[in-house]
Amino acid sequence: MSMTFSGQVALVTGGAAGIGRATALAFASEGLKVVVSDLDAANGEATVEAIRAAGGEACFLRCDVTREADVKALMEGVIGAYGRLDYAFNNAGIEIEKGKLADGGEDEFDAIMAVNVKGVWLCMKHQIPLLLAQGGGAIVNTASVAGLGAAPKMSIYAASKHAVIGLTKSAAIEYAKKKLRVNAVCPAVIDTDMFRRAYEADPRKAEYAAAMHPVGRIGLVEEIAAAVLYLCSDGAAFTTGHALAVDGGVTAI
């Protein structure tokens, strides 16, 4: 199936590493111009250089998604760089907490909610007018399997990802007749720097993380990128308001 993306423009937040970098590279490989955004300018620029080295076109714009002024400036930068926006992948997120609900702190709660929920909301708020100006398009938000059910010892993170799915579904219905589709991807454990930081001190936990997936391994960033591109493609033209589990079978148990 052709992705039919040539000449269009995609924005990827959290594009400095992991799922964001893989998705930015995947968009570029399909002929899109890509705006990579992140707080981490050095690694964000590295993503852009990787795209250019492969023959693609991209630029980096730094943004703190928790600040509306930054998000507004990001959208202005997208238009300034390429004149349009067709697809947005709202992937910027913060790591999970590691304790039971009653052990959590207010600062931790505020930080997770600010990035994972407010950040997605602000990005969609300012992306939607640009997408509507092009006659529609697609937004994909990064949620999690933790947003599809219970997630012991990461209740704040789970709540934030349930909220992302709520934002996704609500926006999808609000703009369904405007040819703007809004979906979410819900990864299980994926092989990213975040995963390695969480499990490098105890290899047994990494083995357990692999074993909890019915397919017997954790996921790859390229597999999430492929799901994002599908949700943006014409092949998903009848798909909106969906939270797509890309989880090695975890949610089927």
Side-chain angles (χ1 to χ4, degrees):
M1 179 187 69
S2 173
M3 291 291 185
T4 64
F5 289 133
S6 183
Q8 295 174 309
V9 177
L11 166 64
V12 178
T13 71
I19 292 169
R21 174 174 287 181
T23 305
L25 287 163
F27 273 133
S29 74
E30 293 291 336
L32 284 97
K33 299 171 184 177
V34 184
V35 177
V36 177
S37 184
D38 206 292
L39 271 175
D40 183 346
N43 284 312
E45 292 283 7
T47 299
V48 169
E49 289 307 311
I51 289 170
R52 290 173 178 167
E57 186 172 351
C59 68
F60 174 77
L61 295 173
R62 188 180 184 277
C63 179
D64 179 349
V65 297
T66 71
R67 297 174 56 87
E68 186 164 23
D70 273 32
V71 175
K72 284 182 177 179
L74 172 60
M75 302 313 154
E76 291 168 0
V78 171
I79 299 304
Y82 297 123
R84 61 187 292 161
L85 178 65
D86 300 281
Y87 308 101
F89 179 39
N90 296 316
N91 173 67
I94 198 170
E95 295 182 44
I96 61 175
E97 77 273 25
K98 300 172 184 176
K100 293 182 180 179
L101 188 148
D103 299 324
E106 186 175 8
D107 289 346
E108 186 175 44
F109 181 93
D110 290 344
I112 291 172
M113 289 295 177
V115 178
N116 293 3
V117 183
K118 183 182 178 183
V120 169
W121 172 71
L122 282 173
C123 284
M124 286 202 295
K125 175 182 176 181
H126 293 286
Q127 290 159 358
I128 286 169
L130 303 186
L131 293 163
L132 293 179
Q134 293 301 130
I139 295 172
V140 180
N141 299 319
T142 298
S144 168
V145 293
L148 296 172
K153 294 188 177 179
M154 54 170 120
S155 58
I156 305 170
Y157 179 82
S160 75
K161 294 304 184 178
H162 277 269
V164 168
I165 293 172
L167 288 169
T168 298
K169 289 178 179 288
S170 298
I173 300 306
E174 289 173 355
Y175 297 98
K177 289 185 171 63
K178 299 290 188 180
K179 297 183 180 179
L180 173 57
R181 297 182 298 103
V182 188
N183 293 289
V185 285
C186 300
V189 181
I190 306 298
D191 188 9
T192 62
D193 291 342
M194 187 183 295
F195 167 78
R196 296 186 194 105
R197 284 195 298 270
Y199 292 102
E200 65 184 353
D202 189 346
R204 292 172 300 175
K205 289 184 179 180
E207 292 172 5
Y208 171 77
M212 68 180 276
H213 300 76
V215 299
R217 64 173 177 84
I218 63 173
L220 304 176
V221 291
E222 292 82 5
E223 291 168 325
I224 307 305
V228 174
L229 264 66
Y230 164 70
L231 289 172
C232 289
S233 75
D234 290 345
F238 201 54
T239 303
T240 195
H242 183 58
L244 177 62
V246 188
D247 65 352
V250 167
T251 55
I253 298 173

